[in-house]
């Protein structure tokens, strides 16, 4: 490769280069310096911040490394959300890890390594690059799910996620091999050229198995079975991480695969997306009603929100993709704020996580009750909060694509799901006070407040954010 070629390639994969160098440097620091956990966490946040800033260098779109890697506006937008999710996860995790005596330097390194996998996954432009990015992301996730080794629930969560994750990888690989066999290429552009008109049965099977592997990563029904147990069993900061950055990365590559690799079989891929969207919305809305654990409730909530976001993808057009990006951005803020609240739920230095523990919170901590209420209203999609606009745009995209039935099902399930969000607000404001929570660390209160203010004020001026999602979506078409 010439000097110009190297410089050109480096400029387009600069975030990945920064993350790679950062991971290696932090491992070295951790190995040679004792008790460097806090410093390494700060350095990891700095590395992620540098990677985030490198996304705004105004580069043109480019395809690199023999067509395996693509740098475009869609990828940069999705990567930005993942980096923000990882940064906030590291910031809110420190106090919990110290308290549980699991504050090891490997944690920020693993988060950084997983984020590198997400970055490569989002920029994958072929089946092999997709698989490598997915596995790099997942291997780190398997470890941090069981990071609390002395906790039986965490170990069980890590084992369950690993076993089911290996199964999903097998299905994804089988689908990819079928597609390669029938298309004769692994690149998305090559598959798009080869798979047109009425697809063969083998291509349909390949598409189904590929989607099954991706559906596992985004917790879509019927491959959601790991989500409630892993969300509940894993350490809470890890659950917050699972619910945000990796989910957004997996969603982004799902969108890229559907739009870039299968435009010629849009009807078939649309049927699959509609099917898992309806199942996810229905299960996520009804199954969370009886949950007492806040983390388990958020697991079913995430399944439901995946279904809502898939409504936008089902539209299979630029408006739908923009709506999906808008939805994921709002969802990222809402979930990070909610998990900051869950991490703040401690009594006598011990974490509590049942919904009933929030009883009468408005009388003991009015600020936390207010911001958490705003997040619950927003997750329910109540206007004029940000969550309302997120659902409005995906349903609008579905209606414009003449998917009236899907939009109606989305509205109905959204109303059902509102019950368990509003129940939390009712418990905080109208039930008899339970034991007051300990004073939460400043960083948790700040993250909760910023998220709450964001969802409240988003309706004032949502245009710039939506314009950014439209510009990002445009690069896929």
């Amino acid at each position: 490769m010439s000097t110009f070629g190297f410089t050109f390639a480096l400029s387009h994969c600069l975030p990945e280069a920064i993350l790679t160098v950062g991971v290696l440097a932090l491992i070295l620091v951790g190995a040679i310096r004792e008790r460097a956990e806090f410093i390494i966490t700060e350095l990891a946040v700095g590395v992620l911040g540098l990677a985030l800033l490198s996304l705004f260098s105004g580069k043109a779109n480019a395809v690199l490394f023999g067509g395996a890697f693509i740098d475009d506006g869609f990828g940069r937008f999705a990567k930005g959300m993942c980096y923000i999710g990882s940064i906030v996860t590291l910031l809110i995790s420190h106090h919990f890890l110290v308290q549980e005596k699991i504050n090891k330097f490997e944690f920020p390194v693993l988060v950084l390594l997983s984020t590198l996998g997400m970055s490569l996954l989002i920029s994958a432009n072929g089946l092999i690059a997709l698989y490598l990015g997915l596995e790099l992301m997942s291997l780190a996730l398997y470890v941090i799910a069981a990071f609390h080794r002395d906790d039986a629930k965490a170990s069980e969560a890590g084992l369950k996620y690993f076993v089911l994750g290996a199964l999903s990888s097998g299905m994804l690989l089988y689908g990819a091999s079928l597609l390669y066999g029938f298309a004769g290429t692994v690149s998305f552009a090559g598959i798009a050229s080869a798979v047109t008109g009425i697809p063969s049965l083998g291509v349909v099977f390949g598409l189904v198995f590929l989607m099954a592997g991706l559906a596992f990563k985004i917790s879509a029904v019927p491959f959601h079975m790991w989500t409630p147990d892993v969300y509940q069993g894993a350490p809470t900061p890890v659950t917050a991480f699972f619910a945000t950055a990796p989910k957004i990365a997996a969603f982004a590559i799902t969108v890229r695969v559907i739009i870039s690799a299968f435009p010629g079989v849009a009807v078939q891929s649309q049927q699959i997306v509609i099917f898992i969207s309806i199942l996810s919305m229905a299960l996520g809305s009804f199954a969370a009603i009886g949950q007492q654990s806040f983390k388990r409730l958020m697991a079913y909530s995430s399944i439901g929100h995946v279904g809502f976001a898939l409504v936008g993808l089902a539209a299979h057009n630029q408006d739908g993709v923009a709506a999906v990006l808008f939805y994921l951005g709002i969802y990222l803020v809402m979930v990070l704020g909610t998990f900051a609240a869950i991490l703040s739920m401690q009594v006598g230095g011990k974490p509590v996580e049942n919904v009933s523990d929030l009883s009468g919170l408005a009388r003991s901590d009015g600020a936390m009750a207010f911001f958490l209420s705003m997040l619950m209203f927003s997750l329910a999609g109540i206007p004029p909060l940000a969550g309302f606009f997120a659902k409005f745009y995906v349903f609008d995209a579905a209606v414009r694509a003449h998917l009236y039935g899907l939009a109606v099902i989305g509205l109905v399930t959204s109303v059902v799901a509102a019950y368990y969000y509003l129940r939390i607000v009712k418990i905080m404001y109208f039930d008899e006070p339970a034991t007051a929570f300990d004073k939460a660390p400043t960083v948790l209160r700040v993250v909760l407040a910023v998220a709450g203010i964001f969802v409240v004020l988003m309706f004032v001026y949502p245009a710039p954010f939506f314009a950014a999602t439209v510009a990002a979506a445009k690069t896929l078409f």
Side-chain angles (χ1 to χ4, degrees), residues 9 25 31 93 140 162 254 329:
S93 63
F162 172 70
T254 303

Side-chain angles (χ1 to χ4, degrees), residues 32 51 57 88 197 212 222 224 270 272:
I32 62 177
S57 56
V88 177
H224 66 286
Q270 192 180 45
I272 297 172

